[in-house]
Amino acid sequence: MAQKKNETVLSAVETINQAVEESVAVGSFVNTFWDQFELSRERAEQLRENGEDAYINALKEVIKFNKQFRKSVSNLYQQSKTTNKEMVSELMQQLPFGNEDVKDEVLPIPETEELKKQFVEVSGQLENLALTPIKSIFHVVEQMEDNIEKSAESSVAYGRERRNAWLQVRKEYVKFAKDSHLNLVDRSKSSFKEFIKPQ
């Protein structure tokens, strides 16, 4: 009889040990599952933020390149303008105005200077008239680029702010889901034990 009681006690202890081991294993699985879920969500969030940062950096680089390109075009124009001025001044010197070698009617020197001055003034006005649309286009493009950059930065900042506002709520939901999952597993285990319990 004593031996039968010892076997029953040993059997009960083994059953309890198995139940504890199963409980630890199932609890460990549930905890690992939800920890992996949380890590996966954090990695996805980090990838999203890295993508947003890369987008902003690429946008800034394109804008920087465009500004350098416009500056190069402007420098090229300045060089051509300087070359044109030099050519005009040489042309003006080669014209026969006020030259004593010319036997025909010669204009007096004050009129020649006035004519040169008017020619330079007219060419300057034509140059400004030709440049006005180009300068306007450059100005509009720069404003558009600045607006696009500011808009992109504020959009990314707003998205991050909105996600961070919901972060705590998401964490609470995950914690609640994890606790509910553990509770469900424990209740299922208890119900199963009751179901298979010898009568």
Side-chain angles (χ1 to χ4, degrees):
M1 185 90 159
Q3 187 176 2
K4 198 170 192 182
K5 283 185 180 180
N6 284 339
E7 287 177 9
T8 308
V9 169
L10 286 175
S11 169
V13 169
E14 287 175 1
T15 306
I16 291 171
N17 286 340
Q18 287 175 349
V20 168
E21 287 174 8
E22 287 175 13
S23 174
V24 168
V26 170
S28 175
F29 170 77
V30 171
N31 285 330
T32 302
F33 171 78
W34 285 104
D35 290 345
Q36 289 299 318
F37 173 80
E38 195 61 25
L39 285 173
S40 174
R41 191 200 56 76
E42 287 175 6
R43 276 194 299 266
E45 185 67 29
Q46 186 63 43
L47 284 172
R48 176 185 286 164
E49 287 185 5
N50 289 345
E52 290 169 344
D53 290 339
Y55 169 71
I56 295 293
N57 288 338
L59 188 63
K60 285 181 178 182
E61 287 299 317
V62 166
I63 290 171
K64 183 179 174 183
F65 173 78
N66 288 344
K67 286 182 180 181
Q68 288 174 344
F69 177 75
R70 284 191 300 273
K71 186 177 180 182
S72 297
V73 168
S74 177
N75 288 340
L76 182 65
Y77 170 75
Q78 291 298 331
Q79 288 175 351
S80 67
K81 182 178 166 182
T82 304
T83 304
N84 287 343
K85 279 187 179 181
E86 290 172 0
M87 288 174 59
V88 166
S89 68
E90 281 190 29
L91 179 66
M92 293 297 283
Q93 288 177 1
Q94 291 178 1
L95 287 176
F97 298 127
N99 197 344
E100 288 89 24
D101 294 341
V102 179
K103 302 288 183 201
D104 296 331
E105 185 178 313
V106 177
L107 293 174
I109 292 182
E111 287 181 19
T112 305
E113 291 299 319
E114 183 66 28
L115 186 61
K116 285 181 182 180
K117 185 177 178 185
Q118 286 178 357
F119 183 74
V120 169
E121 197 174 302
V122 167
S123 68
Q125 291 297 326
L126 287 173
E127 179 182 323
N128 286 338
L129 189 62
L131 277 180
T132 301
I134 295 171
K135 286 181 181 178
S136 297
I137 289 171
F138 279 6
H139 181 70
V140 167
V141 168
E142 283 183 15
Q143 284 182 335
M144 269 184 13
E145 287 176 342
D146 290 342
N147 288 340
I148 288 171
E149 182 179 359
K150 288 175 186 173
S151 174
E153 286 176 345
S154 65
S155 174
V156 166
Y158 175 74
R160 286 182 180 175
E161 187 177 302
R162 192 181 73 232
R163 286 192 307 268
N164 287 336
W166 284 98
L167 180 64
Q168 192 59 36
V169 174
R170 280 195 311 261
K171 284 185 177 182
E172 288 299 318
Y173 273 120
V174 168
K175 183 179 181 291
F176 178 74
K178 181 179 177 181
D179 292 344
S180 296
H181 195 176
L182 285 170
N183 197 5
L184 179 68
V185 167
D186 285 341
R187 281 190 290 167
S188 298
K189 246 185 341 185
S190 298
S191 297
F192 185 69
K193 284 180 187 177
E194 286 297 318
F195 180 68
I196 63 167
K197 186 177 182 182
Q199 300 291 335

